[in-house]
Amino acid sequence: MEARRRLGEFLKTRRSHLQPEDLGLATYGDRRRVPGLRREELAQLAGVSAPYYSRLEQGQSANASPEVLDALAQALRLDDAERRHLHELATGARRPATRRRPAPERVTPAVRQLLATLGDVPVVVLGRCSDVLAWNAAGHALFAGHLEPDAPERPGRRPNLAKLVFLDPHTRELYADWPAKARAVVATLRMASGRYLDDPRTAALVGELSVRSTEFATWWAAQRVKSGGDAVYEMRHPLVGAMTVTHQALRTEPDQHVVIATTEPGSASHAAMTLLTHTTATARRSQPARD
């Protein structure tokens, strides 16, 4: 029932974001009690009966075919990530609920080699609900230099990107446009929650952030989704100042995301990033001598 409820919530929220005039529907000046499209209007656009759609949105039906889901996605004007999320929610609604504990997340030797090979390029490996599974020295310096370098190696106590973005003052100050970064984190986590409907770790994380951050709760309710890709952020690093950094998220076979941070060659941002990685490497080499 939980999976059906979440499917219905997603449909209802996306429906509320569409206006009849956006789709060329005549309203004849009638007064509307709810925002967005009415259920019967969306059902008409998707080519399904209004009672059937109502049952789907109310969590009373779980038998929507891929063709019906595609028709609803088209009527709702969903993008590729939102369409995939809709199908994942529907798949979860059809299968019996499971209580199996997910397997512990580990970084494969191949990804470890990638971290070492990239060297001075900041890299962070994220798990299914944004736990930091690994980072190289440059990735640690860029994203979380205020944390212990070996923090990702402690299962059960690993840093979590979503928590850092919403609850950690250092990370919040790191992004000039913090709301843009925060919304992207919420949208990525929303996508993951549809893929892992029965994951207690994801549910606990969403619950904690909803209680501790009103901003997270508001953006989570908007039902926006995002699946990796590239994004450009203005970062304000406490050691080297402002940088324009491109974050590229690559999905690996174990369903982890390798986030690679790059700057434009020859730019001031590239020079700042080079200074950061050089300073970090020098500090690491001198650490044993100080001890």
Side-chain angles (χ1 to χ4, degrees):
M1 288 299 295
E2 172 66 15
R4 295 184 187 183
R5 181 187 65 79
R6 292 181 59 182
L7 173 61
E9 285 181 349
F10 180 70
L11 290 170
K12 182 178 181 180
T13 303
R14 302 313 302 147
R15 175 171 62 84
S16 71
H17 291 168
L18 284 178
Q19 300 302 320
E21 53 269 24
D22 296 336
L23 304 174
L25 296 177
T27 61
Y28 305 105
D30 55 347
R31 187 173 181 180
R32 292 178 172 258
R33 299 178 181 177
V34 295
L37 295 181
R38 291 172 175 151
R39 287 175 180 167
E40 57 269 23
E41 291 171 333
L42 179 58
Q44 179 182 1
L45 289 170
V48 299
S49 71
Y52 170 77
Y53 175 76
S54 294
R55 290 195 302 272
L56 196 63
E57 192 174 284
Q58 292 168 354
Q60 299 174 1
S61 177
N63 61 350
S65 68
E67 292 76 17
V68 167
L69 294 173
D70 283 337
L72 289 171
Q74 183 173 354
L76 289 167
R77 295 188 172 183
L78 303 185
D79 61 24
D80 290 343
E82 292 167 335
R83 182 185 296 261
R84 188 159 58 252
H85 183 63
L86 176 63
H87 278 270
E88 288 173 344
L89 289 175
T91 299
R94 287 192 293 267
R95 65 173 179 252
T98 60
R99 296 296 179 185
R100 292 183 300 173
R101 184 177 296 275
E105 295 185 284
R106 296 184 177 89
V107 179
T108 65
V111 173
R112 295 280 183 191
Q113 291 176 20
L114 178 64
L115 289 170
T117 300
L118 289 175
D120 291 342
V121 178
V123 183
V124 175
V125 183
L126 301 177
R128 55 180 168 264
C129 62
S130 73
D131 284 332
V132 179
L133 305 181
W135 51 32
N136 61 6
H140 168 247
L142 176 63
F143 292 105
H146 62 302
L147 301 181
E148 292 297 326
D150 63 345
E153 307 302 327
R154 307 170 186 172
R157 299 174 56 192
R158 287 169 170 152
N160 179 276
L161 178 63
K163 284 188 179 182
L164 288 175
V165 167
F166 279 94
L167 305 178
D168 179 66
H170 172 94
T171 307
R172 193 176 184 118
E173 288 297 320
L174 196 57
Y175 293 91
D177 187 355
W178 178 83
K181 176 61 179 177
R183 287 191 181 98
V185 168
V186 173
T188 302
L189 186 58
R190 170 65 76 175
M191 191 79 179
S193 74
R195 191 175 299 120
Y196 306 106
L197 284 166
D198 303 315
D199 183 9
R201 173 77 180 93
T202 304
L205 175 63
V206 171
E208 179 183 355
L209 289 174
S210 296
V211 170
R212 299 180 64 183
S213 170
T214 56
E215 293 151 318
F216 178 89
T218 298
W219 292 329
W220 182 258
Q223 298 272 352
R224 295 292 184 183
V225 296
K226 179 178 182 292
S227 58
D230 304 345
V232 179
Y233 296 104
E234 296 295 327
M235 302 185 72
R236 303 174 298 195
H237 199 277
L239 295 181
V240 296
M243 293 182 288
T244 302
V245 182
T246 300
H247 296 184
Q248 302 179 60
L250 310 178
R251 189 172 169 183
T252 68
E253 188 173 338
D255 213 11
Q256 298 167 4
H257 285 86
V258 179
V259 180
I260 303 172
T262 59
T263 53
E264 184 179 354
S267 66
S269 297
H270 185 74
M273 185 73 78
T274 301
L275 176 61
L276 176 63
T277 56
H278 174 76
T279 302
T280 302
T282 301
R284 279 177 171 265
R285 285 194 298 266
S286 63
Q287 188 64 42
R290 290 199 302 270
D291 290 342

